[in-house]
Amino acid sequence: MIARKVAIRNTYMGKLPHGVDLLERITDICRENHIQLGRIEAIGAVKKARVGFYNQKTREYEFRNFDGDFEILNLTGNVSLKDNQPMVHAHITLADREGRAFGGHLAAKTIVFACEYIIEDFSGNALERGFDAETGLPLWKE
Ligand code: ZN
């Protein structure tokens, strides 16, 4: 088990430009501001989405593309280090025009229509990801 005590050093709040890749842009913001440990949330809308579902039996992500306009009901994620670089791990809940929700593990190629984000930059020792044999995932190491 891992339980780190962290404190908020800075909070960033802003909007992403229209048409950018949601995951890549948030990762860039972390890199540009030297955020290595943190919390992310966002709301807004996307022009298209790509999300993953981790198949626990095959131990592979199954990615799915959703073409069309969707609301971002919720994006929740964290920032930690993988191969010494900030890595954003985020999950997204989207809604279609009927209000039906769906979502998954946020992947690149999800394109922003409009997006308002909040990123909390934590002080404390960074968490480092490494291969976890039990799950096949890059989880935080002790
Ligand atoms: Zn995930």
Side-chain angles (χ1 to χ4, degrees), residues 69-73 93-103:
D69 311 339
F70 304 105
E71 293 288 318
I72 303 171
L73 300 185
T93 310
L94 300 164
D96 65 16
R97 67 190 313 145
E98 275 81 41
R100 287 180 299 229
F102 61 96

Side-chain angles (χ1 to χ4, degrees), residues 61 89 91 105:
Y61 274 101
H89 179 203
H91 288 190
H105 176 98

Side-chain angles (χ1 to χ4, degrees), residues 3 12 26 39 59 65 70 76 87 109 112-113 118 133:
Y12 299 81
I26 286 179
R39 196 176 81 82
R59 295 182 163 213
N65 295 302
F70 304 105
T76 302
M87 187 197 130
K109 297 189 169 63
V112 169
F113 180 77
I118 298 172

